[in-house]
Amino acid sequence: MENTKLERKIKNKRFVDLFAGLGGFHVGLSRLGHECVMASELDVDLRELYKKNFDLLPEGDIRLIDEKKVPNHDVLCAGFPCQPFSRAGKKKGAECPESGKLIDDIFRIVNEKSPNYILLENVPDILTIADGNFWGHVSQGLASLGYEMDYKIYTPQDFGIPQKRRRIFIVASRTGLDHFDWPKPSKTKGSLKAIFNKSSKYKKFLTSEKEVVLNKWQKFIENINEFSSLPILASEFGATYPFQKSVKTVKEMATYKGAFGQPLRNSKSWDDICDLLPKHARDGNGVVGHRVAEAIEYSRDLYNRHKKFLDQWKLDLIDLPASWVKFEWQGNRNNPDIWQHIIQFRASGIRVIKPDCAPSLIAMSTTQLPIYGPERRYITTREAAALQSLDELKNFPKSDSAIYKALGNAVNAHIVNKIAERLII
Ligand SMILES: C[S@@+](CC[C@H](N)C(=O)[O-])C[C@H]1O[C@@H](n2cnc3c(N)ncnc32)[C@H](O)[C@@H]1O
């Protein structure tokens, strides 16, 4: 009896959950029997939701929290906002006046409360943004507060969860990390089908417009039957404008062909020309960067080799959004059926990926939600929650878009759990 009590006492550590969001850290640590004594979250709706799920109302803006009033705790968890550090953000880092400096609020609390352990999560780009200065700030900050620190990049796939989502996990301990080693990546990558099989009735199906455009690309694949890692730019089929050297005059440019082979000959100004160029070539009046140039070369070459088919095929693409006429195949080459894959309508084009793993859930856009080809539908909120190991939560935000956004921001609770299990002794 005495022993059990003692064990429980040793195991139950007190933690704070900063930038709490949906509570990925909370779920991961409470599964180990640890107790959350304070959380902080800026978003009012997420605060109320946290209260419903965990019976604890988070404090608001961390910048306004008096560190002296933070309850004593053994573990500090923080998934500080990644917007300024992610690829989609501006990569400004510590000089970003808003979120980039929030790491200093973490340090302020650590300095006052000296928790034994710190567990942080972010995007791997924090290693390199601002020429590595931000990372220097994080690592030196922890060292000067007296912590030994280590970090590792994981994706849920390393833990048998079928989502590609590279994130950096940082652990720090005031008493050193001799006791700690990182969880070993699992050999099984997990099955997306298993998640989809649990699917609920709340399914959002593809619009007929998107189905039509995907069927169109399916025809393309069946007829062309060749795969490249380069994106295919359908608007280059028939185009002849120079894309590597700039043309000086409108008159000269008007002798070429623009998007889908439309003649530029009636153009009177650069604005007229640009209206007829593919979107990717407009900023530079035709001239593009190295990566786009490679894709253009490949696309024009394809066109020249399959002109007869493509001249017909391209006809009803001209009025479609630019991102629908760009196509990337990262799927199975021996099963070239789009509908047996995961599909994403990304700002950078349509991407088809193998059906065994979901792409990273992202917070900023619901239009890029992964589509499950075999059922011609988007992944459901419950499936997205399972990909973040947060399906046990009882309450989610009210609208689907708020759910996807919060899940796209969240830390995977299972990864947190597995790291914390080894870190917190
Ligand atoms: C990357 S998300 C972390 C998500 C969380 N780890 C989870 O599992 O859901 C960052 C969170 O920090 C919150 N946030 C941003 N600025 C904040 C601030 N100044 N004070 C407190 N929370 C803030 C955002 O609203 C967002 O929910």
Side-chain angles (χ1 to χ4, degrees), residues 19-25 40-43 46 60-63 79-82 102 121 406 409-411:
F19 311 100
L22 270 185
F25 281 106
S40 155
E41 168 55 53
L42 193 60
D43 184 290
L46 288 176
D61 193 337
I62 195 171
R63 293 167 293 188
F80 52 112
C82 57
L102 293 172
E121 181 245 16
N409 260 332
V411 63

Side-chain angles (χ1 to χ4, degrees), residues 158-274:
D158 294 330
F159 294 81
I161 302 159
Q163 185 194 176
K164 281 186 191 140
R165 181 185 182 82
R166 291 178 79 250
R167 288 292 182 271
I168 185 169
F169 291 85
I170 303 165
V171 295
S173 165
R174 217 154 47 85
T175 48
L177 287 169
D178 287 352
H179 69 286
F180 175 77
D181 60 347
W182 292 99
K184 301 261 172 309
S186 119
K187 290 213 168 66
T188 56
K189 298 286 174 206
S191 150
L192 203 47
K193 265 212 175 111
I195 282 180
F196 284 136
N197 284 342
K198 280 191 220 150
S199 181
S200 71
K201 51 186 187 282
Y202 303 107
K203 291 176 182 168
K204 186 177 164 217
F205 290 91
L206 271 184
T207 59
S208 56
E209 270 176 310
K210 285 186 174 170
E211 257 194 60
V212 167
V213 84
L214 289 174
N215 281 331
K216 190 95 189 148
W217 279 108
Q218 181 60 34
K219 269 222 169 79
F220 172 90
I221 289 169
E222 283 162 15
N223 280 274
I224 302 296
N225 197 20
E226 120 178 15
F227 300 98
S228 160
S229 55
L230 291 167
I232 293 153
L233 308 173
S235 50
E236 290 297 331
F237 296 162
T240 59
Y241 68 91
F243 55 92
Q244 277 166 321
K245 67 169 174 67
S246 63
V247 171
K248 295 279 177 294
T249 62
V250 170
K251 199 172 162 205
E252 187 193 342
M253 194 67 162
T255 62
Y256 295 101
K257 288 184 176 165
F260 298 101
Q262 298 171 92
L264 300 175
R265 63 172 169 263
N266 294 329
S267 305
K268 302 274 179 277
S269 66
W270 281 108
D271 281 350
D272 293 349
I273 298 271
C274 281

Side-chain angles (χ1 to χ4, degrees), residues 127-158:
L127 292 170
T128 50
I129 44 124
D131 296 327
N133 286 332
F134 181 74
W135 181 245
H137 183 64
V138 174
S139 49
Q140 282 154 31
L142 287 170
S144 68
L145 288 162
Y147 286 79
E148 184 180 347
M149 181 270 262
D150 198 8
Y151 68 91
K152 193 168 174 76
I153 294 168
Y154 283 120
T155 162
Q157 278 190 299
D158 294 330

